[in-house]
PDB file of all heavy atoms in Angstrom:
ATOM      1  N   CYS E 370     -12.953  21.219  14.910  1.00 94.00           N
ATOM      2  CA  CYS E 370     -11.991  20.806  15.938  1.00 94.00           C
ATOM      3  C   CYS E 370     -11.342  22.041  16.532  1.00 94.00           C
ATOM      4  O   CYS E 370     -10.780  22.854  15.811  1.00 94.00           O
ATOM      5  CB  CYS E 370     -10.925  19.894  15.321  1.00 94.00           C
ATOM      6  SG  CYS E 370      -9.516  19.608  16.407  1.00 94.00           S
ATOM      7  N   ALA E 372      -8.673  22.403  18.182  1.00 92.00           N
ATOM      8  CA  ALA E 372      -7.211  22.447  18.125  1.00 92.00           C
ATOM      9  C   ALA E 372      -6.692  22.824  16.747  1.00 92.00           C
ATOM     10  O   ALA E 372      -5.667  23.484  16.625  1.00 92.00           O
ATOM     11  CB  ALA E 372      -6.632  21.099  18.552  1.00 92.00           C
ATOM     12  N   CYS E 373      -7.369  22.389  15.688  1.00 92.00           N
ATOM     13  CA  CYS E 373      -6.796  22.612  14.353  1.00 92.00           C
ATOM     14  C   CYS E 373      -7.771  23.262  13.381  1.00 92.00           C
ATOM     15  O   CYS E 373      -7.406  23.541  12.237  1.00 92.00           O
ATOM     16  CB  CYS E 373      -6.298  21.296  13.768  1.00 92.00           C
ATOM     17  SG  CYS E 373      -7.635  20.228  13.174  1.00 92.00           S
ATOM     18  N   SER E 374      -9.012  23.465  13.786  1.00 92.00           N
ATOM     19  CA  SER E 374     -10.058  24.079  12.976  1.00 92.00           C
ATOM     20  C   SER E 374     -10.464  23.310  11.720  1.00 92.00           C
ATOM     21  O   SER E 374     -11.125  23.857  10.848  1.00 92.00           O
ATOM     22  CB  SER E 374      -9.743  25.555  12.659  1.00 92.00           C
ATOM     23  OG  SER E 374      -8.682  25.652  11.756  1.00 92.00           O
ATOM     24  N   GLN E 375     -10.092  22.045  11.644  1.00 93.00           N
ATOM     25  CA  GLN E 375     -10.650  21.186  10.578  1.00 93.00           C
ATOM     26  C   GLN E 375     -12.129  20.975  10.909  1.00 93.00           C
ATOM     27  O   GLN E 375     -12.489  20.822  12.076  1.00 93.00           O
ATOM     28  CB  GLN E 375      -9.895  19.847  10.538  1.00 93.00           C
ATOM     29  CG  GLN E 375     -10.560  18.726   9.735  1.00 93.00           C
ATOM     30  CD  GLN E 375     -10.470  18.907   8.220  1.00 93.00           C
ATOM     31  OE1 GLN E 375     -10.879  19.925   7.675  1.00 93.00           O
ATOM     32  NE2 GLN E 375      -9.930  17.906   7.556  1.00 93.00           N
ATOM     33  N   GLY E 387      -7.751  16.574  10.667  1.00 95.00           N
ATOM     34  CA  GLY E 387      -6.749  17.636  10.665  1.00 95.00           C
ATOM     35  C   GLY E 387      -5.608  17.398  11.634  1.00 95.00           C
ATOM     36  O   GLY E 387      -4.460  17.690  11.343  1.00 95.00           O
ATOM     37  N   CYS E 388      -5.918  16.847  12.832  1.00 96.00           N
ATOM     38  CA  CYS E 388      -4.879  16.650  13.827  1.00 96.00           C
ATOM     39  C   CYS E 388      -5.334  15.540  14.776  1.00 96.00           C
ATOM     40  O   CYS E 388      -6.493  15.148  14.754  1.00 96.00           O
ATOM     41  CB  CYS E 388      -4.616  17.947  14.606  1.00 96.00           C
ATOM     42  SG  CYS E 388      -5.885  18.310  15.839  1.00 96.00           S
ATOM     43  N   PRO E 389      -4.410  15.044  15.628  1.00 96.00           N
ATOM     44  CA  PRO E 389      -4.808  13.962  16.534  1.00 96.00           C
ATOM     45  C   PRO E 389      -6.005  14.323  17.425  1.00 96.00           C
ATOM     46  O   PRO E 389      -6.825  13.461  17.746  1.00 96.00           O
ATOM     47  CB  PRO E 389      -3.544  13.720  17.362  1.00 96.00           C
ATOM     48  CG  PRO E 389      -2.431  14.135  16.449  1.00 96.00           C
ATOM     49  CD  PRO E 389      -2.962  15.306  15.677  1.00 96.00           C
ATOM     50  N   ALA E 390      -6.129  15.607  17.798  1.00 95.00           N
ATOM     51  CA  ALA E 390      -7.231  16.021  18.676  1.00 95.00           C
ATOM     52  C   ALA E 390      -8.595  15.920  17.998  1.00 95.00           C
ATOM     53  O   ALA E 390      -9.626  15.944  18.664  1.00 95.00           O
ATOM     54  CB  ALA E 390      -6.993  17.446  19.181  1.00 95.00           C
ATOM     55  N   CYS E 391      -8.609  15.804  16.667  1.00 96.00           N
ATOM     56  CA  CYS E 391      -9.881  15.633  15.941  1.00 96.00           C
ATOM     57  C   CYS E 391     -10.613  14.374  16.422  1.00 96.00           C
ATOM     58  O   CYS E 391     -11.842  14.309  16.365  1.00 96.00           O
ATOM     59  CB  CYS E 391      -9.640  15.522  14.443  1.00 96.00           C
ATOM     60  SG  CYS E 391      -9.189  17.060  13.624  1.00 96.00           S
TER      61      CYS E 391
HETATM   62 ZN1  LIG C 187      -8.075  18.620  14.853  1.00 75.26          ZN
END
Side-chain angles (χ1 to χ4, degrees):
Chain E
C370 168
C373 76
S374 71
Q375 166 74 304
C388 76
C391 287

